[in-house]
Amino acid sequence: GVQTCALPISQIRSEILDPAALADAEPRLRSGLAGGLLVPDDAVLYAPAAALYLLQAAQRAGARLIRGTVTNAGTGAVTLSDGTTLASDHIVIATGADMEIVPWVRMKKRKGHLVITDRYPGFVRHQLVELGYLKSAHSNLSDSVAFNIQPRMTGQLLIGSSRQYGQEDTAVDAGIVAKMLHRAYEYMPQLASLSGTRVWVGFRAATSDQLPLIGPTPDPTLYLVAGFEGLGITVAPAAAKLLADHLLGRKTEIDPAPYLPGRMARTEAIFA
């Protein structure tokens, strides 16, 4: 899994497992694996619950929730589909892959499938991710699958993952799901005996250079916090702090330059 915390990477607890230790930690993994890296403080974040928590925290701090579809944003105003206009000197666009309201931003949709099983408490003890996951996740050239399984508190298992490019059809692709599950069975053969309850599709919002867009735009009233692929809710607090530091003129803890939206003018050719 992706480890996010306030500690430097060198201070994140981790332990290298040899084949015997790996088999002890996860007995249902196939034999013959070279080993693994255990990150004790890693955790799975349930995005809907995290998003609700952040929304409620913002409301307690004085934010107001307004429901509606935004049809236009910029030059100090936001227009909703019912005709309501909201004025502000600072407008932050934090949507997903659909960026019609900021047409100059070329966002790439990466279609992904997930499978969730019936309840099998204790079948898997840790979130499991194959070493090749990052290589698969950052490829722009072809469809890919990688082994990733997450045990839920309900006893269910969430199985992934897949990435498809140039595919905006919301229908389940049986072929890519079969490849994804076959990859999972290669690591954990007993998964094939379990019952799945649902398969669904989602779209990750990705940029051409794999980095998010955080910061100002040519419109002095418009700011972007978008393009996080599958990690939006995970890195949301850090992204918000980076943007807040910019708005308040504070020194940032990391260099914001790699994430500035202005770079898209240099990378747009990749999407041509």
Side-chain angles (χ1 to χ4, degrees), residues 6 32 170 202 264:
T170 58
M264 295 311 295

Side-chain angles (χ1 to χ4, degrees), residues 97 108-116 133 136-137 142-146 148 158-178 180-181 198-206 229-230:
K108 190 78 168 179
K109 291 184 179 180
R110 294 186 176 178
K111 184 176 181 178
H113 293 74
L114 289 171
V115 175
I116 196 160
Y133 179 87
S136 167
S142 62
D143 296 346
S144 62
V145 297
N148 181 7
L158 188 69
I159 303 173
S161 66
S162 72
R163 281 172 168 78
Q164 292 177 280
Y165 306 92
Q167 298 284 339
E168 298 194 11
D169 183 358
T170 58
V172 170
D173 184 330
I176 199 75
V177 172
M180 184 179 77
L181 290 176
R198 188 161 70 98
V199 180
W200 71 97
V201 168
F203 294 92
R204 307 173 182 92
E229 233 269 14

Side-chain angles (χ1 to χ4, degrees), residues 250-261:
R250 301 185 302 214
K251 182 179 179 181
T252 58
E253 293 185 30
I254 63 173
D255 181 8
Y259 314 108
L260 294 176

Side-chain angles (χ1 to χ4, degrees), residues 75-77 86-92 219-223 247:
T75 60
L86 308 171
S88 176
D89 293 333
H90 303 96
I91 302 167
V92 180
D219 179 338
T221 67
L222 199 63
Y223 301 82
L247 293 174

Side-chain angles (χ1 to χ4, degrees), residues 109-143:
K109 291 184 179 180
R110 294 186 176 178
K111 184 176 181 178
H113 293 74
L114 289 171
V115 175
I116 196 160
T117 72
D118 206 341
R119 300 169 190 266
Y120 300 96
F123 190 93
V124 173
R125 301 173 181 175
H126 306 81
Q127 177 181 192
L128 302 175
V129 184
E130 69 166 281
L131 183 62
Y133 179 87
L134 287 180
K135 182 179 179 180
S136 167
H138 289 287
S139 171
N140 271 330
L141 302 178
S142 62
D143 296 346

Side-chain angles (χ1 to χ4, degrees), residues 8 18 30 42 46 73 78 84 87 95 128 163 183 188-189 239 248 253 262:
D18 63 18
R30 69 170 175 84
D42 191 27
Y46 185 55
V78 173
T84 301
T95 61
L128 302 175
R163 281 172 168 78
R183 185 68 172 174
M188 189 170 280
L248 297 174
E253 293 185 30

Side-chain angles (χ1 to χ4, degrees), residues 1-4 39-46 127 150-151 234:
V2 176
Q3 179 71 29
T4 58
V39 183
D41 298 323
D42 191 27
V44 175
L45 189 66
Y46 185 55
Q127 177 181 192
Q150 300 175 4
T234 310

